[in-house]
Amino acid sequence: MNKYIIGIDGMMCGMCEMHVESKIKESFVVKKAKASHITNKVVVITEANLIEDDFKAALDPTGYRVTSFEKQAAKKTLLGWK
């Protein structure tokens, strides 16, 4: 399982977070997408290997901009994937 931490510019509120999460879930096969306008990041958990340019292409038309893209191994915990 892969964990992606993606920096997103342009999120200002909870509705922005929901919009980013919805666009990611609509565009990619993911187990979890959790955005935060406080940290300006979205954490994505997926089995797929994702490509930064694909994220940029999906989010740019919405007005949100990818600023960073980091891949890590996701860890299974009692409360879910982290």
Side-chain angles (χ1 to χ4, degrees):
M1 195 66 68
N2 298 309
K3 175 181 179 179
Y4 293 88
I5 302 170
I6 303 155
I8 305 288
D9 185 40
M11 292 189 293
M12 304 298 283
C13 64
M15 287 300 293
C16 295
E17 294 171 353
M18 289 176 32
H19 193 219
V20 168
E21 291 170 5
S22 293
K23 187 61 178 175
I24 289 171
K25 290 175 182 176
E26 166 188 310
S27 303
F28 306 98
V29 177
V30 300
K31 280 210 171 280
K32 178 181 175 182
K34 182 64 179 157
S36 170
H37 73 281
I38 304 295
T39 62
N40 292 316
K41 293 183 180 171
V42 61
V43 176
V44 177
I45 306 292
T46 182
E47 292 182 12
N49 286 314
L50 304 177
I51 299 170
E52 183 175 1
D53 289 338
D54 294 342
F55 266 89
K56 289 179 179 178
L59 291 175
D60 279 348
T62 65
Y64 303 104
R65 190 172 61 84
V66 174
T67 59
S68 64
F69 192 84
E70 178 186 344
K71 179 181 177 182
Q72 300 176 355
K75 296 176 185 138
K76 179 77 169 172
T77 68
L78 291 175
L79 300 175
W81 289 97
K82 300 252 181 195

